[in-house]
Amino acid sequence: MRTQTAEHDPTTPQALGEALAGARLVDLSRTLEEGMPTYPTHAKYFQNRWLSMGDVARMNQLVLGEHTGTHVDSPCHFPIQGPHADVSVEKLSLTALTGRCATVTLDPPPGPDAMVGPQPLRDWEERHGPLRAGDIVLLDFQWARTRWALHERGFAHLENWPGIARETAELLRGRSVRAVGTDCVSLDSGDGGRGELPAHYVLLSAGVLIIENLANLDRLPPLSFFLAFPLRIAHGTGSPLRAVAVVDGAER
């Protein structure tokens, strides 16, 4: 039996660097800028030029909520019960948002506040194989592509967006996925999932993280590798993310 050496070990920094050098990185994050859409009841984003006497360095002061732009919801974001109830963002492991990525492209919503059932996920599994424990599932509702904009033009992103039904959240929880992402401002529909917020309660109570306001999901194949890291915010209910997908092959 051949002994594996560092030279042939695919987990060494050199091998990982070579693998990344041959891959394409897709930025899935929104630019943080004033006037960007935020959840209607959440804090807005401000960038203030900071003038300091006697300092030649340029700097800005940022004022933002934890759930600004592309961000992750930590379990403590909602009043859930169980072992994950007090998991704030600084307690998440470095691998909490890394892993195999399944991108599911959904049909445009048929009406306002649409709630997507589990059948599109089952159809995806028929084509690409079963979802695995630890997968990060990204749902492309085809919502933000024409609606994400600054100031009043961005209000369209914040009105009657689609989400997932309770049955869909329960299927994802049953598959033991690591996180579920959306290109919408929330994984629950614009009416709060008929006022019950099932996606947040079902997933966060199981320790499944939620990623919202993703971008460029149409540039991803069905399977890729996902990387994102939240800020270490003490007692944080969430954090902005720089989310990236690692993709093989040429640009789609």
Side-chain angles (χ1 to χ4, degrees):
M1 179 177 178
R2 181 178 178 180
T3 301
Q4 187 179 59
T5 66
E7 181 181 355
H8 299 95
D9 183 354
T11 65
T12 62
Q14 178 181 345
L16 290 173
E18 291 172 354
L20 286 174
R24 176 168 56 91
L25 301 182
V26 179
D27 192 346
L28 305 179
S29 309
R30 293 289 177 185
T31 299
L32 296 177
E33 52 190 330
E34 290 193 358
M36 65 189 299
T38 59
Y39 195 86
T41 61
H42 287 190
K44 307 308 176 187
Y45 174 83
F46 298 96
Q47 183 182 50
N48 304 317
R49 184 184 177 194
W50 190 265
L51 298 177
S52 182
M53 291 179 60
D55 193 338
V56 297
R58 297 174 179 173
M59 64 194 78
N60 298 305
Q61 177 193 47
L62 304 184
V63 182
L64 70 164
E66 296 169 324
H67 301 265
T68 299
T70 305
H71 67 274
V72 62
D73 290 355
S74 199
C76 73
H77 181 41
F78 268 63
I80 58 175
Q81 304 296 319
H84 305 287
D86 296 324
V87 176
S88 49
V89 74
E90 86 281 10
K91 297 177 183 177
L92 301 177
S93 72
L94 286 174
T95 58
L97 291 172
T98 64
R100 193 182 82 142
C101 175
T103 300
V104 182
T105 302
L106 303 166
D107 292 333
D113 304 313
M115 296 176 69
V116 175
Q119 192 57 48
L121 291 176
R122 297 193 180 106
D123 293 342
W124 187 95
E125 290 183 312
E126 283 290 324
R127 294 190 297 270
H128 306 292
L131 294 171
R132 301 175 185 173
D135 276 352
I136 294 168
V137 180
L138 305 184
L139 303 176
D140 182 4
F141 287 92
Q142 304 191 53
W143 181 257
R145 295 178 198 171
T146 59
R147 293 174 175 84
W148 184 274
L150 301 182
H151 306 294
E152 289 84 357
R153 290 180 55 241
F155 288 173
H157 183 66
L158 306 173
E159 296 174 341
N160 306 122
W161 65 86
I164 61 172
R166 179 176 296 275
E167 295 79 11
T168 311
E170 290 171 345
L171 182 150
L172 290 162
R173 179 185 64 187
R175 298 291 195 272
S176 299
V177 301
R178 184 170 299 178
V180 182
T182 173
D183 60 324
C184 298
V185 70
S186 172
L187 191 56
D188 280 302
S189 58
D191 61 357
R194 309 300 183 262
E196 298 181 357
L197 299 166
H200 282 80
Y201 279 107
V202 170
L203 295 175
L204 294 179
S205 63
V208 180
L209 303 178
I210 293 175
I211 309 167
E212 294 164 332
N213 282 330
L214 286 161
N216 297 322
L217 295 184
D218 58 320
R219 294 176 57 190
L220 299 185
L223 288 168
S224 58
F225 192 85
F226 184 88
L227 290 162
F229 300 98
L231 302 175
R232 295 189 66 179
I233 302 170
H235 315 297
T237 66
S239 170
L241 296 172
R242 188 67 179 262
V244 175
V246 183
V247 179
D248 288 329
E251 181 77 20
R252 292 183 67 194

